[in-house]
Amino acid sequence: MITLTFPDESKREFPDGVTGAEIAEGISKSLAKKAMVVKLDGELTDLAEPITADARIEIVTRDLPDALEIIRHDCAHVLAEAVQELFPGTQVTIGPVIDNGFYYDFAREEPFHPDDFPKIEAKMREIIGRDAAFTKKVWDRDEARRYFGEKGEAYKVELIDAIPQDQDIRFYSQGAWTDLCRGPHGPSTGKIGNAFKLLKLAGAYWRGDSNNPMLQRIYGTAWANDNDLKAYLTMLEEAEKRDHRRLGREMDLFHFQEEAPGAVFWHANGWTLFQALIAYMRRRQHEGGFVEVNTPDMMERGLWETSGHWEKFGENMFTTITPDERVHCCKPMNCPGHVQIFKNGLKSYRDLPLRIAEFGKVHRYEPSGALHGLMRVRHFTQDDAHIFCTEDQITEECISVNALILSIYRDFGFEDVRIKFSDRPEKRVGSDAVWDKAEDALKKACEAAGIAWELNPGEGAFYGPKLEYVLRDAIGRDWQCGTLQVDFNLPDRLGAFYIGADGEKHVPVMLHRAMFGSLERFTGILIENYAGHLPLWLSPVQVVVATITSDADDYARQVLDRLEAAGVRAEIDLRNEKINYKVREHSLAKVPAIVVCGKREAEEGTVNVRRLGSKDQALLPLDQAITAFVDEATPPDLKRAGVAKVA
């Protein structure tokens, strides 16, 4: 007999080899009907899989979050079957679940087209309607290779050859169609439902290697019900409207070009926004006791080998060989440079904590296919900082950094923030004992700060565990931005020490901290979160002064002078165009306020204020309008400090 513990902590004994399906049936027929898989000790498992040991068990029904992964995995298999039925000769390769959906890569000479999607979706519904059971098979390696070899599935044969010798070769069939798969799957295709949709096509190199053949990738999404599918598709439509690349062109912020892939060409407006973010962060860091430094963009390879970055990131680092045959690397991170600053000059325990920050430009190679506007680039700026402290100071410093990060996000309108605790990755430096100490220290700091977190297993940095701050934007998308990491390894590897109260040398703890993360990426997130309607304090051009007739030109210039003298970023439009044309043009560029000046306003000393996104107009005395603009253009941190001027 085996003992199974249910979510309500009740325990029941069952015969060895009982299945999840039998347990669900024994509880109630309605539960058995809704069940998709079981969760055993946190792992999703087929309902038909025999259970042979004591475990914690949960019956996962299709209305639970865990069921989505199964629905999408099942849907990917149905997509592959549908494609092969409709387009004979197509080879299937891999089809994993991804965030909010799935994809499948196909090898086919003829290109797919979005016009094929309705036909494929209809075939998928037909397959789902057959309600064929998903059944698992385990074959020996030779039998598996022979099966796919006879079918002409060369990619599947290659995948089989890559499976370690000590692992089973597992397959899942749905009716007569079979695929190589680790599982798990739901009971049958009918459990998928019809809340799915194919979304887009893309090219993808086999195994992500540009030396391999190009495959055709079909992306899709699947949900538990039609309402969830509709909500997701609506979000995608809204996301397309908010695409920062399109808005970047309309707002004249930046551009990209082939001569510098993954690098941003900032225009004047974009650079103004970028510098406004840096100025804000510089003030907040100063409040937090950080001093700003700057380290070289390029350093010798030996430093990166010692730090461990070369082993971890070497293939993604930009390098150059100088005439004297020394290999230099463009820095992918700022950490080793900051350790060098710490090491320069003898440090005492009285100097700790030492908090140093840098707006450091880092360089990381990303495949061309992964580049995506400001969100994924090869050259970007980090608001990086490192705190060198004693072990006794870890908790207090983590509490302080956490409060600062959350305060910053609130200033930008992000109230919904989730925190993930990422523990040791498989590829790491340092002993398990050191990692135990680092993870325990970060968990204690979270507890002391009252930080609620969810585990993100195996996603820590190679030198230490970290907290990841995930922001939810205006349309419900999640963005991982800030991080806080506890590092016992890097200072030791690079020979950093301080003199303790006992007169002996001690290795400092190094806390890595980023708040925006990548400034380029955070800028893209802001643009999309606000759909280009940035708060006035962030807008590159805060006010445009536009004339109705040339009679008001002189007055408009006076208004511009007054605004600029008050610190408002303003421009003037004296063109001989109709005012409605001017308003439309500046609205497209997402200027938050347009001040209209005509003959009447010039005579009365007033301005007519039009706000972006509103048809309303407000006729205000010039002094009152300027006072309102100055208040709105003052960054939130300066407002809290009682500074009534624009920084």
Side-chain angles (χ1 to χ4, degrees):
M1 301 291 284
I2 59 172
T3 301
L4 300 179
T5 304
F6 289 81
D8 64 358
E9 299 303 325
S10 64
K11 299 179 185 293
R12 290 177 58 184
E13 289 191 341
F14 293 91
D16 188 346
V18 69
T19 67
E22 291 169 342
I23 294 171
E25 183 75 27
I27 294 173
S28 74
K29 291 189 180 299
S30 63
L31 178 63
K33 188 175 181 180
K34 292 188 295 182
M36 294 291 291
V37 289
V38 292
K39 185 185 278 190
L40 296 176
D41 290 336
E43 294 290 327
L44 298 179
T45 306
D46 296 327
L47 283 170
E49 187 75 14
I51 304 172
T52 59
D54 296 350
R56 297 188 68 88
I57 186 172
E58 179 182 359
I59 308 296
V60 178
T61 56
R62 62 176 292 111
D63 57 333
L64 294 176
D66 283 328
L68 269 181
E69 180 179 339
I70 303 302
I71 291 170
R72 289 165 180 164
H73 190 184
D74 292 355
C75 209
H77 278 233
V78 169
L79 166 62
E81 181 181 1
V83 166
Q84 288 199 313
E85 281 194 27
L86 291 169
F87 307 98
T90 301
Q91 290 190 63
V92 293
T93 62
I94 58 170
V97 173
I98 56 175
D99 287 346
N100 298 315
F102 59 90
Y103 69 77
Y104 216 109
D105 288 346
F106 300 96
R108 179 173 179 250
E109 289 187 10
E110 293 295 319
F112 291 111
H113 190 276
D115 291 344
D116 295 324
F117 286 180
K119 181 168 58 174
I120 298 172
E121 289 174 347
K123 179 59 71 173
M124 291 173 68
R125 290 188 180 91
E126 178 187 322
I127 294 168
I128 289 169
R130 296 172 193 164
D131 198 22
F134 283 102
T135 56
K136 187 176 82 171
K137 306 170 185 177
V138 179
W139 291 346
D140 67 47
R141 197 169 300 266
D142 291 338
E143 184 181 8
R145 294 182 86 261
R146 183 169 57 253
Y147 174 80
F148 280 110
E150 291 173 353
K151 290 170 65 70
E153 296 277 10
Y155 292 95
K156 290 295 182 183
V157 173
E158 187 176 333
L159 287 172
I160 291 167
D161 290 340
I163 296 173
Q165 292 291 326
D166 61 345
Q167 291 187 15
D168 291 336
I169 312 295
R170 285 181 279 179
F171 298 84
Y172 279 80
S173 297
Q174 57 214 49
W177 191 84
T178 299
D179 197 6
L180 174 69
C181 182
R182 289 177 296 183
H185 281 280
S188 67
T189 60
K191 296 285 189 179
I192 297 170
N194 287 312
F196 67 87
K197 186 172 180 59
L198 302 183
L199 299 175
K200 63 180 180 178
L201 290 165
Y205 291 111
W206 170 236
R207 295 195 160 185
D209 187 339
S210 60
N211 295 314
N212 288 337
M214 175 70 78
L215 306 174
Q216 298 185 68
R217 177 171 294 178
I218 298 179
Y219 285 95
T221 188
W223 297 83
N225 56 66
D226 288 336
N227 287 337
D228 288 349
L229 173 63
K230 184 178 179 181
Y232 179 68
L233 295 178
T234 300
M235 187 273 287
L236 288 183
E237 291 174 8
E238 184 62 30
E240 188 173 349
K241 296 176 188 174
R242 293 167 179 257
D243 191 319
H244 72 282
R245 294 166 297 180
R246 178 177 61 81
L247 291 170
R249 290 191 299 271
E250 294 175 358
M251 299 169 70
D252 193 23
L253 300 179
F254 56 83
H255 81 273
F256 296 88
Q257 61 188 63
E258 285 301 315
E259 290 81 359
V264 187
F265 288 80
W266 289 105
H267 300 189
N269 283 346
W271 195 239
T272 298
L273 169 58
F274 195 84
Q275 290 301 314
L277 292 175
I278 286 180
Y280 167 86
M281 185 60 76
R282 183 169 279 136
R283 293 190 302 270
R284 297 307 309 273
Q285 290 182 159
H286 180 72
E287 289 174 17
F290 290 85
V291 293
E292 189 173 334
V293 301
N294 189 264
T295 58
D297 288 345
M298 190 173 290
M299 290 177 270
E300 276 201 331
R301 171 176 162 173
L303 176 66
W304 303 103
E305 290 175 332
T306 304
S307 71
H309 288 86
W310 182 259
E311 180 183 358
K312 176 73 175 177
F313 291 107
E315 62 184 14
N316 296 320
M317 291 170 67
F318 291 95
T319 60
T320 184
I321 302 177
T322 55
D324 59 359
E325 298 185 349
R326 296 168 72 181
V327 179
H328 288 73
C329 304
C330 293
K331 62 179 178 182
M333 294 182 178
N334 298 299
C335 336
H338 288 188
V339 176
Q340 306 315 304
I341 290 178
F342 179 87
K343 289 170 59 179
N344 192 267
L346 191 62
K347 300 295 188 299
S348 158
Y349 70 94
R350 296 186 180 90
D351 298 315
L352 306 183
L354 176 61
R355 310 178 187 97
I356 59 178
E358 177 178 9
F359 297 102
K361 190 68 172 285
V362 296
H363 313 261
R364 301 177 190 174
Y365 176 77
E366 297 280 359
S368 297
L371 300 177
H372 180 75
L374 298 176
M375 304 303 194
R376 195 75 173 266
V377 291
R378 291 177 177 170
H379 315 282
F380 57 96
T381 308
Q382 287 187 310
D383 61 334
D384 228 347
H386 296 92
I387 302 169
F388 296 89
C389 63
T390 67
E391 291 187 33
D392 292 340
Q393 294 168 333
I394 292 175
T395 296
E396 184 178 353
E397 290 302 305
C398 286
I399 291 173
S400 176
V401 168
N402 176 71
L404 180 59
I405 289 176
L406 295 179
S407 169
I408 286 169
Y409 294 155
R410 284 193 295 271
D411 279 351
F412 288 91
F414 295 106
E415 299 284 348
D416 189 352
V417 181
R418 291 183 298 115
I419 300 175
K420 296 182 179 182
F421 187 104
S422 299
D423 60 8
R424 68 194 72 184
E426 185 175 340
K427 190 175 181 179
R428 59 185 182 268
V429 297
S431 67
D432 285 343
V434 169
W435 274 88
D436 288 342
K437 186 163 65 169
E439 289 173 354
D440 184 58
L442 189 54
K443 286 177 181 176
K444 286 181 178 177
C446 288
E447 183 179 350
I451 299 172
W453 50 269
E454 58 186 80
L455 184 63
N456 191 22
E459 293 300 319
F462 74 91
Y463 45 75
K466 65 179 175 179
L467 300 182
E468 298 180 353
Y469 291 77
V470 181
L471 315 184
R472 180 155 292 174
D473 71 8
I475 60 173
R477 296 173 301 178
D478 289 341
W479 303 96
Q480 191 269 307
C481 291
T483 57
L484 174 60
Q485 303 159 20
V486 175
D487 182 3
F488 284 85
N489 286 303
L490 198 58
D492 189 30
R493 290 175 70 95
L494 292 176
F497 68 89
Y498 67 93
I499 304 301
D502 57 0
E504 300 295 323
K505 292 181 179 179
H506 299 270
V507 177
V509 180
M510 188 175 181
L511 305 182
H512 303 244
R513 180 238 71 186
M515 296 190 278
F516 290 155
S518 157
L519 268 84
E520 285 78 1
R521 184 168 177 270
F522 192 77
T523 301
I525 292 169
L526 282 178
I527 292 168
E528 296 197 359
N529 181 63
Y530 288 107
H533 297 211
L534 295 169
L536 192 135
W537 72 274
L538 277 175
S539 295
V541 179
Q542 296 168 328
V543 178
V544 165
V545 182
T547 53
I548 299 174
T549 66
S550 59
D551 293 344
D553 284 1
D554 289 341
Y555 178 64
R557 292 188 184 96
Q558 294 174 27
V559 172
L560 177 69
D561 291 343
R562 290 282 306 278
L563 287 166
E564 290 182 334
V568 177
R569 296 190 289 271
E571 293 182 355
I572 193 166
D573 188 346
L574 303 179
R575 292 176 298 166
N576 185 23
E577 299 283 358
K578 292 182 178 180
I579 189 61
N580 287 340
Y581 175 85
K582 295 180 181 181
V583 169
R584 280 196 303 272
E585 189 175 78
H586 296 302
S587 295
L588 181 65
K590 303 297 186 287
V591 176
I594 301 171
V595 168
V596 177
C597 299
K599 186 175 180 181
R600 174 189 170 189
E601 286 81 8
E603 291 172 350
E604 297 177 350
T606 59
V607 288
N608 197 313
V609 179
R610 305 187 186 200
R611 293 288 186 159
L612 180 63
S614 173
K615 295 180 180 179
D616 296 334
Q617 304 175 34
L619 186 66
L620 300 173
L622 178 58
D623 287 346
Q624 182 180 337
I626 290 175
T627 298
F629 285 136
V630 167
D631 178 68
E632 199 173 340
T634 301
D637 61 309
L638 293 181
K639 277 189 179 182
R640 286 192 295 272
V643 179
K645 67 178 181 179
V646 181

